[in-house]
Amino acid sequence: SHYEGELRDGKRHGDGIFHSADGATSYRGQWYCGNRHGHGYLAFDALQSSYYEGCWLNGKKHGEGCQVWPRGNKYAGQWILGKMHGRGTMTWITANGTEQYTGLWEDSRPHGEGSHTWFVTDPSQDPGTGAAQQQQQQQKQ
């Protein structure tokens, strides 16, 4: 692995860039006593198609942030100690279109007030237009 940046007492501290030995994982941002802390960008693969950008606290996602997974699923919102928690929006890519939940989260699951919307490709419409029909469900959990 490789690190370029500020150090304090032999630990990553301040601004810096880390690259894993295999080159797949990299982090660019703030550090505190060797942990990701403050704002930063963590890429989970060399192509940076899977990443988290946002706030960190002692090495865990904490505060506002956005994570994108390899299949294109995306969460943007609040995090507490590494878990989706608070207000946020998750968009899932499915074989039939996309789903989106906007609302409250607890322990990385939808919990409380929110809106879940399904965007499904309508086969009766010209597939070249990308037109979609939409269904929406309000939920209180």
Side-chain angles (χ1 to χ4, degrees), residues 6-7 11 22 25 38 51 54 58 82-83 102-103 109 127 129:
E6 299 174 69
L7 298 169
K11 294 182 180 180
D22 64 4
T25 304
Y51 63 88
N58 294 321
K83 297 188 179 204
T102 299
R109 293 189 211 160
T129 66

Side-chain angles (χ1 to χ4, degrees), residues 14-113:
D15 292 323
I17 301 170
F18 168 84
H19 297 279
S20 64
D22 64 4
T25 304
S26 64
Y27 174 77
R28 180 180 66 247
Q30 298 171 317
W31 299 84
Y32 181 80
C33 294
N35 291 310
R36 296 176 190 110
H37 191 91
H39 189 269
Y41 177 90
L42 174 65
F44 298 104
D45 59 33
L47 298 175
Q48 298 188 7
S49 60
S50 177
Y51 63 88
Y52 171 81
E53 182 170 17
C55 296
W56 296 85
L57 178 69
N58 294 321
K60 297 188 183 232
K61 301 166 200 162
H62 191 85
E64 291 291 321
C66 177
Q67 180 157 343
V68 175
W69 284 266
R71 293 186 63 213
N73 298 340
K74 177 180 176 181
Y75 174 81
Q78 299 172 323
W79 299 78
I80 292 185
L81 299 175
K83 297 188 179 204
M84 297 175 278
H85 195 99
R87 183 156 298 281
T89 298
M90 173 69 94
T91 303
W92 295 272
I93 308 299
T94 68
N96 298 326
T98 59
E99 289 182 40
Q100 187 174 71
Y101 172 80
T102 299
L104 298 176
W105 291 78
E106 185 176 293
D107 199 25
S108 293
R109 293 189 211 160
H111 182 83
E113 299 227 11

